[in-house]
Amino acid sequence: MTAKKAVVLLSGGLDSATVLAMAREEGYECYALGFDYGQRHQAELLAAKRVAADLGAREHKVVSLDLRTIGGSALTDDGIDVPEEQTGGIPVTYVPARNTVFLSIALGWAEVLGARDIFVGVNAVDYSGYPDCRPEYIEAFEKMANLATRAGVEGNHLSIRAPLMNMSKADIVRVGTGLGVDYSLTVSCYQAQPDGTACGRCDSCRLRAAGFAEAGLDDPTVYAGT
């Protein structure tokens, strides 16, 4: 029998590593997809490479984009500081249209591979206020995907899978640990050092640390100054 295939968006962070493990657990042959989009650091790309190898991805592809050409985010514009205190509303770390761009390219690769499932690690419980991490967005993109592709038109339904959508960060950590995810390989920090050392102050670091604490598990993250 031909193995069922899935494209898994893999950033190198905690959530996407967990999703890759979940897809593997469901029996998918996983094709990991990451992006060098002009983000502040390359540490997450190196982390994604480690995670893909450790969790047995069939292939790991990195697509180069230059979202710095439009800027508008603390992650793609060095003139905008990454906030180190919690803020209200949509934070400056939101990258305009990022998930739409990433999912669109994942959709294209899925068609080429003959994969009918795309996994993404978006989360609406612990998410940082990003509009493209909501369930209604995922539902709308899936509808568009089946309208805009040869696969969808020919009756091969494409699914956008977001298994972390309603999970807390602590639940995500527990599930991933149970599936054998080595979180020491991952990088979540928005302004990590080249070796992956995390700042411990940005929103992503705070959510990650709180998740491990609530789960009652040791946080393997190396934080600056510790």
Side-chain angles (χ1 to χ4, degrees):
M1 294 179 61
T2 302
K4 58 181 181 179
K5 300 176 181 179
V7 173
V8 181
L9 290 181
L10 184 66
S11 68
L14 182 152
D15 292 342
S16 66
T18 306
V19 168
L20 177 57
M22 293 171 80
R24 182 188 66 174
E25 179 70 11
E26 288 190 33
Y28 285 94
E29 184 176 74
C30 296
Y31 292 77
L33 179 62
F35 296 89
D36 184 353
Y37 63 92
Q39 59 266 59
R40 276 182 173 262
H41 59 75
Q42 298 289 301
E44 68 177 18
L45 293 174
L46 296 175
K49 184 177 181 179
R50 295 192 297 266
V51 169
D54 189 62
L55 292 177
R58 177 68 176 81
E59 186 177 344
H60 176 217
K61 186 184 295 292
V62 177
V63 173
S64 295
L65 302 168
D66 187 6
L67 295 185
R68 283 182 175 269
T69 58
I70 61 171
S73 168
L75 303 189
T76 56
D77 185 339
D78 292 334
I80 303 174
D81 292 333
V82 172
E84 296 185 351
E85 295 182 0
Q86 189 168 356
T87 59
I90 299 174
V92 295
T93 49
Y94 162 68
V95 180
R98 181 177 62 179
N99 281 349
T100 301
V101 172
F102 289 1
L103 282 169
S104 295
I105 294 173
L107 179 60
W109 196 24
E111 276 209 284
V112 171
L113 293 170
R116 296 175 64 176
D117 294 272
I118 297 170
F119 284 78
V120 59
V122 296
N123 176 261
V125 176
D126 281 340
Y127 89 118
S128 301
Y130 301 152
D132 53 2
C133 289
R134 297 175 295 167
E136 52 265 49
Y137 165 75
I138 295 299
E139 291 166 9
F141 191 94
E142 180 175 296
K143 182 177 180 180
M144 182 280 298
N146 284 287
L147 289 171
T149 58
R150 176 177 177 177
V153 169
E154 292 182 346
N156 296 313
H157 182 81
L158 295 156
S159 296
I160 309 300
R161 304 281 303 280
L164 309 185
M165 182 61 76
N166 297 309
M167 296 172 64
S168 70
K169 192 68 73 177
D171 288 338
I172 293 168
V173 169
R174 291 189 191 103
V175 167
T177 299
L179 293 175
V181 176
D182 182 353
Y183 288 117
S184 71
L185 302 178
T186 66
V187 173
S188 298
C189 180
Y190 290 145
Q191 48 189 358
Q193 295 177 16
D195 65 356
T197 299
C199 73
R201 301 181 301 275
C202 70
D203 188 47
S204 186
C205 280
R206 289 195 299 270
L207 286 172
R208 179 178 173 124
F212 277 101
E214 186 180 337
L217 296 169
D218 290 336
D219 182 356
T221 309
V222 177
Y223 293 105
T226 60

